[in-house]
Amino acid sequence: MKTLLEVLQSGTDYLTRQGCEEARATMQHLMAHVLHCNRTALYSQFDRPVEETELAPLRELLKRRAAGEPLQHLLGSTEFFRREFLTDARALIPRPETEELVEMVLKKIPARPVRVLDMGTGSGIIGVTLALELKERAKEVVLADISPQALDLALENAMRLGARVSTIQTDLFENIPLEKAAPLPAETDSTVAAPGEEETSPGQETRFDVIVANLPYIADGEELAPEVMKDPHTALFGGPKGWEIIERFLARARDYLNDNGFVALEIGYDQAPAVTQIMDGYGYNYIEVLKDMSGIARFPFGYR
């Protein structure tokens, strides 16, 4: 019977031969998942024998990872802003850059109650995180996505983490009225209310103070790593140039902002000139593009 250390090393060697990046860290994550412990705990039990009942599921996970299935899908969750979010094939796997976007948005939100729209929410990481971080300043947080499957996942994350949000299925702003409207029908109202709080529906007010969007921005036909291609293609590809969906969003987003409200985006590494030109053409003010930790102009902001 092999020890934990021997299994860790043989699994790392296997993943390395299969061309997996960060093979040792990946193997640690998989072993911790199978053994129901954290990665740090592995180091205190290197001599522990690994039972066949534990090896069988580990072998299956190794095969799936070697075949290109993302580690986050295998684990079923990923960490974002110090919280565990469910992740699976229903939505885009959160990227580290998106945490930077959330940090920047939080710094720019005024110190008063605000309405927030997370457009293209996917797994809900942006909107749910903002709702939890803003606490009582989150007057309303709406999660919007074209995919009902993604919205189901976002709602699961909101419920698990205790975030008070609403969801709406829509192709960008198609189902979000500008005029003052009655509450949405019950079947489209997916509000998650904190215990003891009254539920509300999108549409009670018409505009937002903050609209954040991590929309598809990869050009159609661009070659991506096999594991990236496991994400929903509708969450990856934004058109022939990559920014077509972003342009559709920007064409209408300004009308949905309150005065002094802002939009914040995550875009491709070479798209800042095109996107800022688009924003200027649609009348956004105080346009700036902030850089990510790698120095890439990644996050455009624009105000009404």
Side-chain angles (χ1 to χ4, degrees):
M1 188 178 296
K2 289 186 176 181
T3 65
L4 189 151
L5 181 59
E6 290 171 332
V7 174
L8 176 61
Q9 189 56 54
S10 62
T12 299
D13 293 342
Y14 171 75
L15 290 174
T16 300
R17 292 194 302 271
Q18 298 302 314
C20 294
E21 296 182 0
E22 299 182 350
R24 186 171 182 82
T26 297
M27 187 60 188
Q28 290 170 347
H29 278 294
L30 294 178
M31 289 201 70
H33 178 70
V34 168
L35 300 178
H36 306 290
C37 66
N38 58 46
R39 291 167 64 192
T40 304
L42 296 176
Y43 290 90
S44 63
Q45 46 184 329
F46 274 160
D47 294 331
R48 168 199 188 284
V50 182
E51 304 289 340
E52 180 58 34
T53 54
E54 297 166 328
L55 284 173
L58 182 60
R59 291 192 192 101
E60 180 61 26
L61 290 174
L62 282 169
K63 289 178 184 177
R64 291 167 61 186
R65 182 67 191 96
E69 191 165 345
L71 176 64
Q72 294 87 344
H73 288 182
L74 299 177
L75 301 178
S77 66
T78 192
E79 184 176 321
F80 186 90
F81 231 81
R82 305 174 303 279
R83 299 181 179 93
E84 284 293 317
F85 282 80
L86 299 177
T87 51
D88 58 36
R90 288 176 286 179
L92 190 76
I93 295 171
R95 305 297 193 253
E97 293 83 3
T98 308
E99 289 198 37
E100 299 176 51
L101 173 61
V102 171
E103 290 177 353
M104 294 171 183
V105 169
L106 284 168
K107 289 178 182 178
K108 290 182 176 293
I109 291 179
R112 57 175 173 78
V114 292
R115 295 188 74 235
V116 178
L117 172 63
D118 176 12
M119 179 61 75
T121 189
S123 60
I125 54 165
I126 294 177
V128 169
T129 299
L130 290 175
L132 294 171
E133 292 294 317
L134 290 171
K135 299 178 183 177
E136 67 275 1
R137 289 163 57 202
K139 188 175 183 181
E140 183 180 14
V141 176
V142 179
L143 313 182
D145 205 287
I146 193 173
S147 165
Q149 293 81 16
L151 285 175
D152 286 344
L153 178 59
L155 198 55
E156 290 173 30
N157 278 318
M159 294 176 69
R160 288 178 72 253
L161 294 168
R164 192 175 188 277
V165 303
S166 302
T167 66
I168 182 169
Q169 184 184 352
T170 179
D171 181 2
L172 297 179
F173 295 97
E174 185 177 291
N175 296 331
I176 305 178
L178 262 178
E179 67 278 2
K180 204 169 186 65
L184 294 175
E187 62 268 24
T188 61
D189 178 12
S190 302
T191 303
V192 180
E197 293 185 344
E198 182 180 352
E199 295 188 353
T200 60
S201 300
Q204 294 296 309
E205 295 184 41
T206 60
R207 289 182 171 84
F208 298 89
D209 303 289
V210 181
I211 302 178
V212 189
N214 183 9
L215 298 167
Y217 57 72
I218 297 171
D220 294 350
E222 183 173 333
E223 291 189 11
L224 301 173
E227 66 182 69
V228 177
M229 292 297 290
K230 299 289 185 179
D231 280 335
H233 289 192
T234 53
L236 293 171
F237 298 103
K241 295 179 180 178
W243 62 74
E244 282 83 354
I245 293 176
I246 291 174
E247 182 168 12
R248 283 179 52 215
F249 163 82
L250 289 170
R252 298 194 64 190
R254 186 179 178 278
D255 294 334
Y256 284 82
L257 286 172
N258 287 319
D259 290 343
N260 299 315
F262 66 87
V263 298
L265 292 157
E266 180 176 329
I267 61 174
Y269 72 95
D270 59 350
Q271 294 175 348
V275 172
T276 52
Q277 185 175 359
I278 292 168
M279 294 178 79
D280 185 62
Y282 284 119
Y284 292 86
N285 298 314
Y286 308 110
I287 299 167
E288 61 176 337
V289 184
L290 301 181
K291 295 180 179 180
D292 64 20
M293 292 184 67
S294 299
I296 296 171
R298 177 78 69 180
F299 310 114
F301 284 72
Y303 286 78
R304 172 178 174 133

